[in-house]
Amino acid sequence: MELPFAESWRIKMVEPIRKSTRAEREQWIREAHYNVFQLPAEQVYIDCLTDSGTGAMSDRQWGAMMTGDESYAGARSFFRMRGTIERLTGLSHVIPTHQGRAAENVLFSALVREGDIIPGNSHFDTTKGHIESRRAFAVDCTIDEARDTQLEHPFKGCVDPDKLEKVLAVNADKVPFIIVTITNNTAGGQPVSMRNLREVRALADKYGKRVIFDSARFAENAYFIKTREEGYADKSIKEIVREMFDLADGMTMSAKKDAIVNMGGFIATRHADWFEAAKAYCIPFEGYLTYGGMNGRDMEALAVGLDENTEFDNLRTRIHQVEYLAKRLDEFGIPYQRPAGGHAIFIDASKVLTNVPKEEFPAQALTVELYKEAGVRGCEIGYILADRDPVTRENRFGGLDLLRLAIARRTYTDNHMDVIAVALKNVFDRREEIRHGYRITWEAELMRHFTVRLEPVAD
Ligand SMILES: *Cc1c(COP(=O)(O)O)cnc(C)c1O
């Protein structure tokens, strides 16, 4: 008999978590104005708000922290981190930053000008924010398949080469670079194939443009290339990672994702001109060039995390868990963005709470129901997150309305996945009775989802 699959680690330190009662949760979520961001974390049993900075570090990472060099300039820990990044990606110029959006802020300050156009695949919120705040435009060239949650596609995060070429053919002079997000977070943690990365590179070369990878989940992307793309089954993750980055001119990185640290990020590039230009912004925004917002010990942990998480067994354990949750949802017939993504499951709320009008935010209603059911905290990636149109101030109902369940790395067990799945099933079973969602009582002008206040709509 073939041995079953099991995790590639064992547990050395645990953190107690507490179950609560439904009555407690109903009171807590009311006090939080039906916004899960406003809940104290102790009121949450299983936290699927985000996979960012929430992973469990390994004994090697904790050990490396003790060796951190906290010198202001020229710390040994910086050189160790830079060495690891260069060995993995081939990109030799490295600027540390305190997290991913800081890497965007520093690099884009050097590269993005008013009126510029930056094409890519579903720019992440902060990426888009750093483009639009400079009065430039992010043009989403993701393949159309990504918009149909029930369609199976092995690389649903890809750039559509025709859409990209249209942008380049008309506006090449306004494009400072192309940005490819791997994996494509906004489309559901969906990967980009090596073939697609090559197509983007070829178009960039044709129009004389450079390519940046927004690399938060590059290792998970490499895992999908190995397991889904023809010709890669026998290559190691590290070989695939190197082949991916050979197609890039630079990268921005949120190390809180695939480097499995609680805080950290960096820029890396092969071009001295980009490095020189970005350096000037690192010092005022982040700090001196060899620490840029990080402690020496954090750079040590980051280096070890990158090395560990570009090993197949670690990635297989992680993605197996996300797929396990997806399989449980399949048993119950609960619709989500298919196939399961690398870091999260995105439940299609518009297909679950069909009686809740879109004006009452179905994905938010589902998020609150799941919390009340079992103390599981997901996150609305839908109409509230979409904010209002900057010109008409109308709500934007054009996109998908999803409940994201992000899975922290090496943090929960498959038993926790069972609790999440059954809690969702219980909500799913009474979906017909849920006829109303929420109305907004207070909201911020931008990024309203973090602080929005809501109240239930009554019959
Ligand atoms: C998280 C993330 C960022 C921003 O990184 P932070 O560390 O949260 O600042 C940028 N791009 C993608 C794709 C991300 O997932």
Side-chain angles (χ1 to χ4, degrees):
M1 192 169 164
E2 195 187 336
L3 291 175
F5 173 81
E7 290 77 7
S8 65
W9 34 257
R10 57 182 176 175
I11 297 164
K12 180 138 53 181
M13 187 187 282
V14 296
E15 177 185 4
I17 50 176
R18 187 176 98 74
K19 277 197 216 175
S20 49
T21 65
R22 191 173 178 97
E24 283 177 318
R25 292 191 294 273
E26 284 181 352
Q27 186 194 330
W28 291 336
I29 194 70
R30 196 178 329 116
E31 288 166 359
H33 301 279
Y34 301 94
N35 179 346
V36 292
F37 282 97
Q38 301 298 313
L39 289 169
E42 289 196 318
Q43 295 174 355
V44 174
Y45 175 40
I46 302 173
D47 206 346
C48 299
L49 188 69
T50 175
D51 66 320
S52 180
T54 53
M57 292 208 298
S58 67
D59 55 353
R60 283 180 58 213
Q61 285 178 288
W62 282 108
M65 285 189 80
M66 300 305 287
T67 67
D69 175 357
E70 306 301 343
S71 302
Y72 190 96
R76 178 181 64 239
S77 302
F78 167 75
F79 295 110
R80 188 167 300 160
M81 180 181 85
R82 189 179 72 179
T84 302
I85 294 166
E86 184 175 5
R87 180 164 50 79
L88 287 171
T89 66
L91 306 174
S92 58
H93 300 292
V94 173
I95 297 177
T97 61
H98 78 275
Q99 60 185 93
R101 68 199 66 188
E104 292 164 354
N105 190 32
V106 168
L107 187 59
F108 293 5
S109 291
L111 303 183
V112 179
R113 297 285 166 261
E114 183 170 345
D116 280 354
I117 293 173
I118 295 148
N121 55 341
S122 322
H123 310 64
F124 183 69
D125 323 358
T126 60
T127 316
K128 199 168 174 177
H130 279 299
I131 292 169
E132 292 180 347
S133 66
R134 289 174 174 84
R135 297 177 189 282
F137 303 93
V139 181
D140 185 354
C141 302
T142 307
I143 55 171
D144 290 333
E145 285 89 335
R147 292 182 58 84
D148 178 353
T149 60
Q150 299 312 292
L151 186 86
E152 295 271 354
H153 186 297
F155 291 100
K156 227 172 177 177
C158 284
V159 177
D160 182 329
D162 293 335
K163 290 186 194 174
L164 177 60
E165 177 138 36
K166 272 199 190 109
V167 175
L168 292 169
V170 180
N171 283 309
D173 55 322
K174 292 195 185 132
V175 174
F177 55 83
I178 299 162
I179 190 158
V180 186
T181 306
I182 50 174
T183 57
N184 185 331
N185 183 354
T186 311
Q190 298 292 328
V192 179
S193 67
M194 190 74 82
R195 185 189 153 154
N196 190 240
L197 293 176
R198 258 194 227 104
E199 286 169 335
V200 170
R201 179 78 256 167
L203 281 171
D205 289 344
K206 177 171 166 190
Y207 289 92
K209 298 295 163 191
R210 287 182 182 175
V211 179
I212 292 175
F213 289 172
D214 177 354
S215 311
R217 299 180 185 80
F218 74 92
E220 291 171 7
N221 200 84
Y223 174 89
F224 286 119
I225 289 174
K226 179 175 170 74
T227 53
R228 292 183 185 171
E229 191 162 350
E230 214 190 307
Y232 289 92
D234 296 330
K235 294 210 163 125
S236 71
I237 296 292
K238 284 187 165 65
E239 284 168 338
I240 295 169
V241 164
R242 186 54 189 267
E243 192 174 328
M244 283 160 53
F245 283 103
D246 280 347
L247 300 165
D249 294 284
M251 69 188 285
T252 51
M253 177 74 188
S254 170
K256 301 170 71 169
K257 283 60 169 255
D258 269 356
I260 323 190
V261 289
N262 304 114
M263 190 55 71
F266 59 86
I267 299 162
T269 176
R270 63 179 84 258
H271 299 297
D273 60 332
W274 272 8
F275 180 58
E276 291 303 321
K279 264 159 77 171
Y281 293 95
C282 180
I283 293 174
F285 291 163
E286 292 293 294
Y288 183 63
L289 301 169
T290 58
Y291 72 86
M294 270 194 281
N295 299 303
R297 53 182 173 271
D298 288 344
M299 293 191 276
E300 294 282 346
L302 197 163
V304 175
L306 279 179
D307 193 36
E308 281 182 359
N309 203 28
T310 45
E311 289 297 326
F312 180 73
D313 283 349
N314 201 67
L315 289 161
R316 174 151 192 243
T317 297
R318 166 172 186 55
I319 290 175
H320 184 274
Q321 184 168 54
V322 179
E323 286 168 352
Y324 175 81
L325 175 58
K327 265 189 221 134
R328 296 304 320 266
L329 299 184
D330 285 340
E331 278 172 46
F332 304 137
I334 300 171
Y336 57 87
Q337 169 73 300
R338 309 186 70 89
H343 71 291
I345 299 286
F346 292 66
I347 312 289
D348 191 341
S350 63
K351 291 192 162 58
V352 177
L353 298 185
T354 49
N355 292 334
V356 176
K358 65 179 189 306
E359 292 77 13
E360 296 177 16
F361 307 111
Q364 182 64 22
L366 191 59
T367 305
V368 173
E369 285 304 315
L370 179 64
Y371 173 72
K372 286 202 277 191
E373 182 68 29
V376 175
R377 174 158 69 172
C379 177
E380 192 248 28
I381 304 278
Y383 302 144
I384 294 181
L385 180 92
D387 276 333
R388 289 176 188 272
D389 184 284
V391 179
T392 67
R393 300 307 298 158
E394 292 296 321
N395 281 310
R396 291 194 268 207
F397 294 119
L400 296 172
D401 196 37
L402 308 168
L403 157 58
R404 184 181 78 175
L405 298 164
I407 309 302
R409 295 168 183 77
R410 310 192 286 212
T411 303
Y412 292 110
T413 68
D414 287 357
N415 288 328
H416 295 110
M417 299 302 117
D418 285 334
V419 172
I420 299 167
V422 171
L424 262 175
K425 174 196 171 359
N426 292 345
V427 175
F428 189 66
D429 285 349
R430 54 186 167 76
R431 64 191 181 279
E432 297 294 331
E433 296 152 36
I434 303 170
R435 307 194 152 270
H436 285 294
Y438 292 84
R439 81 166 65 85
I440 293 175
T441 59
W442 183 87
E443 65 185 285
E445 204 165 309
L446 261 184
M447 306 278 250
R448 64 182 179 179
H449 63 290
F450 291 117
T451 52
V452 69
R453 291 182 176 186
L454 301 157
E455 66 181 16
V457 177
D459 252 324

